[in-house]
Amino acid sequence: MKTPTENLWITAGVFSSHYLLERLPQAGSKIWPEDETVRSVHHKIQELYKRVNKQKWNEADTERRLIDKVFDELGFGYLNQNRIPETERRLVPDYFLYYSPEETDKAFEQSSQKKYRLALSIAEAKRWDHNLDQPSSGKGKAPRGTYPHQQIRDYLNESEHIKWGILTNGKEWRLYLKEGRSSKFFEIDLETCLEDLQKFKYFYVLFRPDAFIKDSSGKCFLDNLYDESLRF
């Protein structure tokens, strides 16, 4: 008999399925939100996925017509195509992610170094349903033969303050941790999440801005979840 979350995620060395299933929904409303808190976001993203013609999209289409709007609904602000400063190589993530659109407006007026320092995370996008384990053809900004995870790893490795990065093709959404092997990630299928509000809560909790905000100890929710999963 299938569990409600079977085929919903891949825990490749990041988080524990057992912890996600058994502990996370019992963590209280501050972490695991009430239905009404997420219902509107769930509905808006659900409607977005229903009306888009995804099969013909290239990377830019996927970003502007889908991923931007998902970030909007989650509450992020973002800047596109900004270079990571003070690096020997030219590294340009698709997104610098900020806690809110207001924080993005503040960052926009700053120097390139300050823009980057104010970002909560970075994100890299691929065309709709692109195989995230397949190397680049060389038609986009990534050199031919470069794997998507290499790009996100390069961005994280150059950062002193960003520990978690997002890689997505619009359908699958991955979280990468700065430490660890390149094969280490958590992936969730957003399209499947949209089938049910309780499934969607997992995406909402793990990918909303609050998941990346650091507390006084310098750790964010994702850090704590990772640590707890290891102990559980």
Side-chain angles (χ1 to χ4, degrees):
M1 182 177 178
K2 290 187 176 182
T3 63
T5 54
E6 189 167 343
N7 302 321
L8 184 61
W9 59 54
I10 298 170
T11 54
V14 176
F15 309 145
S16 153
S17 285
H18 191 56
Y19 188 91
L20 293 175
L21 287 169
E22 300 297 330
R23 293 293 185 92
L24 193 56
Q26 308 302 322
S29 60
K30 188 175 180 180
I31 292 175
W32 188 257
E34 301 291 342
D35 290 0
E36 288 308 310
T37 303
V38 299
R39 196 181 302 280
S40 175
V41 179
H42 173 246
H43 176 72
K44 288 176 181 177
I45 297 178
Q46 195 176 49
E47 290 302 305
L48 175 64
Y49 271 69
K50 284 180 181 177
R51 67 173 181 261
V52 291
N53 181 16
K54 302 176 286 282
Q55 287 74 19
K56 298 178 181 178
W57 285 359
N58 58 27
E59 185 173 310
D61 294 332
T62 306
E63 289 179 28
R64 298 292 82 80
R65 297 176 63 83
L66 185 63
I67 296 171
D68 284 5
K69 295 178 181 180
V70 172
F71 282 139
D72 290 340
E73 294 301 333
L74 289 172
F76 281 107
Y78 48 85
L79 294 175
N80 300 107
Q81 301 291 330
N82 278 262
R83 182 177 179 177
I84 297 177
E86 300 176 355
T87 58
E88 292 184 5
R89 291 181 294 165
R90 180 176 173 79
L91 298 175
V92 186
D94 290 318
Y95 298 86
F96 285 0
L97 295 173
Y98 301 90
Y99 185 71
S100 67
E102 292 75 21
E103 291 298 309
T104 305
D105 290 341
K106 293 176 185 177
F108 182 76
E109 303 297 331
Q110 305 297 323
S111 66
S112 59
Q113 289 85 356
K114 189 72 170 178
K115 281 187 177 76
Y116 187 56
R117 291 297 304 175
L118 291 172
L120 289 179
S121 183
I122 46 90
E124 183 68 18
K126 299 300 171 188
R127 63 175 171 78
W128 170 258
D129 209 18
H130 175 77
N131 186 338
L132 296 178
D133 296 311
Q134 178 180 312
S136 170
S137 64
K139 294 180 180 179
K141 68 178 182 179
R144 182 180 177 85
T146 302
Y147 287 86
H149 67 75
Q150 288 178 263
Q151 289 180 271
I152 202 76
R153 285 286 178 196
D154 286 345
Y155 304 151
L156 290 172
N157 289 340
E158 291 293 341
S159 175
E160 295 181 0
H161 75 289
I162 293 177
K163 189 174 179 180
W164 294 88
I166 296 172
L167 173 65
T168 181
N169 57 18
K171 176 174 165 47
E172 290 97 17
W173 290 67
R174 288 184 179 182
L175 287 168
Y176 278 88
L177 178 63
K178 181 176 180 177
E179 291 85 7
R181 304 183 308 275
S182 60
S183 57
K184 205 171 182 178
F185 62 87
F186 172 81
E187 178 182 295
I188 196 164
D189 188 319
L190 178 52
E191 200 168 36
T192 302
C193 286
L194 292 172
E195 297 172 359
D196 176 82
L197 184 63
Q198 300 310 311
K199 292 179 182 178
F200 178 75
K201 284 184 183 181
Y202 283 101
F203 176 77
Y204 180 82
V205 166
L206 296 171
F207 286 85
R208 62 180 170 174
D210 282 345
F212 298 85
I213 286 285
K214 295 178 182 178
D215 59 21
S216 58
S217 70
K219 287 193 170 186
C220 68
F221 168 74
L222 295 175
D223 294 327
N224 293 327
L225 179 61
Y226 178 72
D227 291 343
E228 287 295 317
S229 291
L230 290 177
R231 288 196 291 267
F232 188 70

